[in-house]
Amino acid sequence: MKRWQYILGGLALVLIVIQFIPTDLPAASNDNAGDIIKSGLVSQDVSILLKTSCYSCHSNETEYPWYSYVAPSSWLVSRDVRVARDELNFSRWQDYDQRRMISKLDDIATEVGEGHMPMPIYTLMHPSAKLSDAQRELIIA
């Protein structure tokens, strides 16, 4: 019994200590002049879907939930948002050249169409981000 108390106490101590390791969450901003929605490329319906299901990771308009500030989940959120923005950032859409825009649109259609996006782990924590088949078709179109 005493052994388990030491193990649980050690784990609790580790969880407390790691809270002091700084997490460098990517900056969030709502002032994004090059945003895909501002470009007029997407309809109102698609823009709502993008905001609900994609923008938390694939834009500068990330709204960080409470667990984004608690280690070790904060490290995962930080990494995931950085990787997602590097792959596709809707806030910087107009910075892409035309060839890259077409490539990104093709990638979006593939990822959304095959059900890879939004990621299942994300929709587990954010059920409102889950897309129906009709919503997927709307984005693809």
Side-chain angles (χ1 to χ4, degrees), residues 15-33:
L15 284 173
I16 291 169
V17 168
I18 65 174
Q19 300 312 309
F20 295 101
I21 299 172
T23 301
D24 190 22
L25 292 170
S29 169
N30 289 328
D31 184 25
N32 302 299

Side-chain angles (χ1 to χ4, degrees), residues 7-105:
I7 292 171
L8 290 176
L11 286 173
L13 183 62
V14 167
L15 284 173
I16 291 169
V17 168
I18 65 174
Q19 300 312 309
F20 295 101
I21 299 172
T23 301
D24 190 22
L25 292 170
S29 169
N30 289 328
D31 184 25
N32 302 299
D35 193 277
I36 191 170
I37 293 172
K38 292 179 182 172
S39 73
L41 180 65
V42 295
S43 69
Q44 180 74 19
D45 293 338
V46 172
S47 67
I48 291 168
L49 293 175
L50 293 178
K51 290 263 188 186
T52 303
S53 299
C54 309
Y55 265 51
S56 280
C57 297
H58 291 285
S59 81
N60 294 341
E61 298 180 23
T62 304
E63 293 180 18
Y64 293 108
W66 65 269
Y67 58 83
S68 301
Y69 302 99
V70 180
S73 63
S74 59
W75 305 335
L76 298 172
V77 170
S78 177
R79 181 188 59 86
D80 287 350
V81 170
R82 286 184 195 290
V83 169
R85 286 183 186 178
D86 286 345
E87 184 63 34
L88 170 65
N89 189 336
F90 287 118
S91 296
R92 302 192 60 210
W93 182 259
Q94 294 183 39
D95 292 347
Y96 298 147
D97 61 42
Q98 191 166 12
R99 195 172 97 214
R100 193 161 182 208
M101 286 180 186
I102 292 168
S103 173
K104 294 294 180 190
L105 290 172

